[in-house]
Amino acid sequence: MSFEVPDLPYSYSALEPYIDEETMHFHHDKHHAAYVNMLNGAVEAAKKLDGKSVEELITDLDSVPEAQRGAVRNHGGGHFNHSMFWEIMGPASGEMSSELNTALLDAFGNLDDFKAEFHKAGMTRFGSGWAWLCSTKGKLSVCSTANQDNPLMGSKYGGCDGKTPILGCDVWEHAYYLNYQNLRGDYISAFFNVVNWAEVSRRYSETL
Ligand code: MN
């Protein structure tokens, strides 16, 4: 059994003008595919990992043999992060659940203040990484990780122990450079226009 790049749940041009079609082709067809290929190579080299989901792999990196741990962290993280990224975006924003709306207000006061904190998390991540909105049994917080680390990973692997990401924004240059060049802030602001709140709400409900 090997991992595969999931199809986009919408067309490559569906997120225009906020995320351009060419970026989506490179990002999904080349970058995500490379993570999947490298992850498959690592899992093939460590038979005990066969049959585990990518979420299981990245959540328990201690159980991955040391020889493959770095590859599973980077490429398993890359596969998991991008699979989530495609799903939490969309051409339609969907409806935010009342549970998520209430939790956002409880944690941040209002939606604009949440966006400002999320934006800052993406802007202050030096180099490559991700900005996240996480739930800890329903309580929301914002964080960021480096490279392809994910909040689900233990803190010694760059994660955030116990936090479940429900929304993530890729701030690697490959996610925005064709359209936004050096203007990461403009890209993160545009990202909010393509968030699929119905999907984020569904993911939130699973953390309660
Ligand atoms: Mn990416």
Side-chain angles (χ1 to χ4, degrees), residues 55-110:
E55 182 169 343
E56 288 170 331
L57 289 174
I58 66 166
T59 303
D60 187 13
L61 285 167
D62 280 332
S63 73
V64 175
E66 206 174 342
Q68 281 81 38
R69 195 175 295 149
V72 170
R73 176 180 176 181
N74 290 333
H75 304 294
H79 178 38
F80 183 85
N81 293 346
H82 287 86
S83 297
M84 177 179 176
F85 189 51
W86 312 133
E87 288 187 6
I88 56 86
M89 297 191 292
S93 69
E95 200 166 329
M96 187 188 294
S97 68
S98 59
E99 289 85 5
L100 177 58
N101 187 54
T102 300
L104 279 167
L105 297 182
D106 282 348
F108 304 101
N110 59 67

Side-chain angles (χ1 to χ4, degrees), residues 101-121:
N101 187 54
T102 300
L104 279 167
L105 297 182
D106 282 348
F108 304 101
N110 59 67
L111 200 57
D112 282 344
D113 284 355
F114 154 65
K115 288 179 180 176
E117 190 168 333
F118 188 91
H119 193 277
K120 186 177 166 200

Side-chain angles (χ1 to χ4, degrees), residues 27 31 35 82 85-86 130 148 170 172 174-175:
H27 203 174
H31 290 278
Y35 295 122
H82 287 86
F85 189 51
W86 312 133
W130 291 74
Q148 295 298 352
D170 188 344
W172 285 56
H174 69 227

Side-chain angles (χ1 to χ4, degrees), residues 9 21 29 31 38 50-52 59 61 65 111 135 151 162 172 185-186 196:
E21 181 174 4
D29 303 352
H31 290 278
M38 296 293 281
D50 203 33
K52 290 197 176 187
T59 303
L61 285 167
L111 200 57
S135 171
W172 285 56
D186 288 3
N196 177 353

